[in-house]
Amino acid sequence: MSWILLIGLAFVAFGIAAYFLDLPRQVWAIFGTALALGMAGYALQGSPQQPGAPASLTDQQSENDVALVDARRAMFDDGFPPSRFVTISDGFARKGQFEDAAGLLKGAVEQNPKDAEAWLAMGLALTEHADGQVSPAALEAFSRSIEARPSHPGPGYFLGVAYLRAGDPLRTRAIWAEMLARTPTEAPWRSDLEMRLGRLDQALAVTGTE
């Protein structure tokens, strides 16, 4: 019976994130992995003798590591390649080697403290290295990314997604609302941000979160 409840809650959580919040398809896999890992942990604790689970989870996590990097790159694709540090660190991140990725990115931000994508990549790598929690070091990296390019939607958006995955949708709402307040009316992503914030409010209302 507990398995039915667990799977049901997982589907509800994914449905809210994917449809109410209209998360990009690149992020669906990331969010789905968080749910899958949670259920897998339950399964392994309840039935540690089950064979084959770690390998399948590793394969799935690898796919989601790639999706995370690709989603970030898509938001910063302005026709110019990222720094060599970011390019190399992305290779580590795609393999789930987030500590190594973050270490390389220190070189990028030391060389160019205004490299917003490098700071954002570091924030994401540090968050993944901390098992999906926004650590103080990760938050600092996200903040430096926002400072470097305050008009770019990427840093704030991904910081909001990180908190959503960590189970703190109210903080996600605060971040996205602040983004919207400083987004010019003519910005091409403003309407999309308004839609996501509206759907987040709907989800919070449905769950009774205030």
Side-chain angles (χ1 to χ4, degrees), residues 20-177:
F20 270 106
L21 305 186
D22 196 29
L23 293 180
R25 287 184 179 273
Q26 299 98 322
V27 184
W28 283 17
I30 301 168
F31 189 79
T33 293
L35 296 174
L37 289 176
M39 289 191 293
Y42 177 89
L44 290 173
Q45 287 179 0
S47 303
Q49 74 278 8
Q50 292 295 326
S56 62
L57 285 175
T58 299
D59 292 341
Q60 185 178 19
Q61 185 62 54
S62 178
E63 292 177 2
N64 292 298
D65 295 339
V66 173
L68 179 65
V69 172
D70 290 346
R72 191 213 73 233
R73 267 274 67 225
M75 294 195 78
F76 278 85
D77 187 8
D78 54 4
F80 297 95
S83 72
R84 67 181 186 280
F85 291 103
V86 172
T87 300
I88 297 172
S89 72
D90 280 352
F92 283 105
R94 286 187 172 97
K95 297 176 182 178
Q97 298 172 301
F98 295 108
E99 185 176 14
D100 293 329
L104 276 168
L105 290 164
K106 289 181 180 179
V109 297
E110 287 173 358
Q111 185 180 79
N112 180 13
K114 296 296 184 180
D115 190 338
E117 185 175 7
W119 280 115
L120 176 56
M122 182 184 292
L124 291 169
L126 291 171
T127 298
E128 293 303 306
H129 181 59
D131 297 325
Q133 298 302 308
V134 183
S135 65
L139 182 58
E140 172 67 16
F142 279 116
S143 299
R144 293 294 295 271
S145 181
I146 293 171
E147 290 173 8
R149 291 187 67 176
S151 62
H152 195 285
Y157 174 73
F158 277 104
L159 178 57
V161 169
Y163 277 121
L164 186 63
R165 292 176 57 214
D168 194 347
L170 290 179
R171 189 165 297 185
T172 299
R173 193 205 181 282
I175 292 168
W176 288 355

Side-chain angles (χ1 to χ4, degrees), residues 177-200:
E178 194 276 333
M179 281 179 62
L180 183 62
R182 58 182 170 81
T183 297
T185 55
E186 68 275 11
W189 60 83
R190 183 181 175 90
S191 60
D192 185 69
L193 181 59
E194 288 175 331
M195 178 186 65
R196 294 181 194 282
L197 188 58
R199 292 189 175 184
L200 176 57

